[in-house]
Amino acid sequence: MDDRIRGNLEGVRARIAEAARRSGRGPDAVRLVAVTKTNPPDRIVPLVEAGQLDLGENFPQELWRKVEALSARPEGIRWHLIGHLQSNKAKRTAPMVRLVHGVDSLKLLRLLDELAADLPGPPGICLQANCSGEGSKHGWSPGAMLDDAEAIASCRSIPIVGLMTMAGYGTTDEEARPTFAALRELRDRMRDRTGLELPELSMGMSGDFGAAIEEGATLVRVGSALFEGLDPP
Ligand SMILES: *Cc1c(COP(=O)(O)O)cnc(C)c1O
């Protein structure tokens, strides 16, 4: 099992490096967040031992359990919450993570901004946009985010480092590309309106991270490709 996971990781890293090159950037311009949701700690350890220290979880409670289970690892894991964060779980979650990818409302942003004022090293956050227009997804529509630009910029304690979107589970590169391009364009407009630099674009999953990188992703969230060939957990 460990060999399989290591091999998958190497394959994903190689594909990331190749896509970064196609977009005229070096491999270090794109960070892999290994999405470990549903996988138990014994499947996560081989990743960490191979130097994969950015790990993403979808659900706060599962994140808390994994942080606890892997707390003795010496490598310095950087946890990312990539899924929806409910307000009542924000206080416990914020100190555990490096980045909250899916901040999807002004209400949650303001809560995190309040919490950040009391944290020595608050997490960065990405604003989640729904760029594919599907009703089932969390996040601001592009128009609504632009309307909220001033209110967003007034949150000064929490570092707002970029934007995040989901094209959809199982989408292919070409299906997802317009969504990724739309996120980049929205970032450029938000940059103009807020004066925030917004360097991070969190976009791309197992089926579509190549296109995401070509469209400017700096963070890709890849899960199933890392655990391919294993029995479902
Ligand atoms: C599960 C998940 C991913 C990873 O998806 P894969 O297709 O397994 O790579 C990325 N982002 C979010 C928000 C997820 O929930």
Side-chain angles (χ1 to χ4, degrees), residues 34-39 56-59 62 66 82 169 227 233:
V35 177
T36 48
K37 63 180 180 201
T38 75
N39 288 282
E57 284 287 331
N58 214 15
F59 297 105
E62 190 178 348
K66 302 253 176 89
I82 60 168
Y169 291 106
F227 300 103

Side-chain angles (χ1 to χ4, degrees), residues 92-172:
R92 179 160 174 192
T93 303
M96 294 180 184
V97 294
R98 186 62 64 100
L99 196 63
V100 181
H101 290 237
V103 174
D104 56 3
S105 71
L106 209 47
K107 177 169 165 265
L108 176 60
L109 179 66
R110 285 176 168 150
L111 173 62
L112 289 166
D113 194 46
E114 264 178 55
L115 293 170
D118 294 328
L119 289 175
I125 67 105
C126 287
L127 304 166
Q128 183 170 358
N130 179 349
C131 290
S132 62
E134 281 173 52
S136 60
K137 299 236 180 58
H138 289 286
W140 279 268
S141 69
M145 192 184 286
L146 289 163
D147 287 345
D148 279 347
E150 203 176 318
I152 288 168
S154 73
C155 294
R156 295 184 191 279
S157 297
I158 191 90
I160 303 172
V161 299
L163 267 55
M164 176 267 203
T165 199
M166 281 185 74
Y169 291 106
T171 50
T172 63

Side-chain angles (χ1 to χ4, degrees), residues 202-221:
S202 170
M203 55 190 196
M205 316 200 300
S206 290
D208 55 25
F209 68 81
I213 293 169
E214 288 169 9
E215 297 298 333
T218 61
L219 292 157
V220 291
R221 310 177 309 269

